[in-house]
Amino acid sequence: LMIMAEDSKNPIGFILALPDINPLIKQINGKLLPFGWLVILKGIKHIKKFRVITLGVVKDHQNSIIAFRLISKLIQNGIKLGYDTAELSWILEDNHKMLKPLSRIGATQTQRFRIYEKKLS
């Protein structure tokens, strides 16, 4: 679940996703020992959701459709691999370059992230 985009020969973007093992970690209460690792090993093949960990597009191509194409291709590949849900998280509410293509493909917002700033003296 990793895709790289290139122009003629230079990388211009990438996307990386991993299976969402959080339900398995919750099931074992976060403890791999003594047998939690076995639960994860057995359960990982039944996971139907992946989480996008990172997406990046070089500055010169950020106003193009590269991000949208990367997301679309990742979802297509995920469906082929048997996933039925994708989570694209940690996107700030003012990151319209990411939110707009996601809304175009029918993604729904389930949480909102904000950054607050205070100068320390």
Side-chain angles (χ1 to χ4, degrees), residues 52-68:
V52 174
I53 303 303
T54 187
L55 167 76
V57 177
V58 297
K59 197 169 198 92
D60 293 345
H61 294 276
Q62 286 181 353
N63 290 322
S64 70
I65 63 166
I66 297 298
F68 178 76

Side-chain angles (χ1 to χ4, degrees), residues 34-72:
F35 298 108
W37 62 271
L38 190 58
V39 171
I40 289 179
L41 203 57
K42 283 183 168 184
I44 203 160
K45 60 186 163 204
H46 302 291
I47 293 173
K48 298 294 179 193
K49 177 181 177 182
F50 65 81
R51 301 181 75 192
V52 174
I53 303 303
T54 187
L55 167 76
V57 177
V58 297
K59 197 169 198 92
D60 293 345
H61 294 276
Q62 286 181 353
N63 290 322
S64 70
I65 63 166
I66 297 298
F68 178 76
R69 303 257 331 256
L70 286 167
I71 293 166
S72 296

Side-chain angles (χ1 to χ4, degrees), residues 21-31 40:
I21 64 167
N22 287 329
L24 296 174
I25 292 171
K26 186 175 181 180
Q27 184 180 336
I28 63 171
N29 213 17
K31 297 177 183 168
I40 289 179

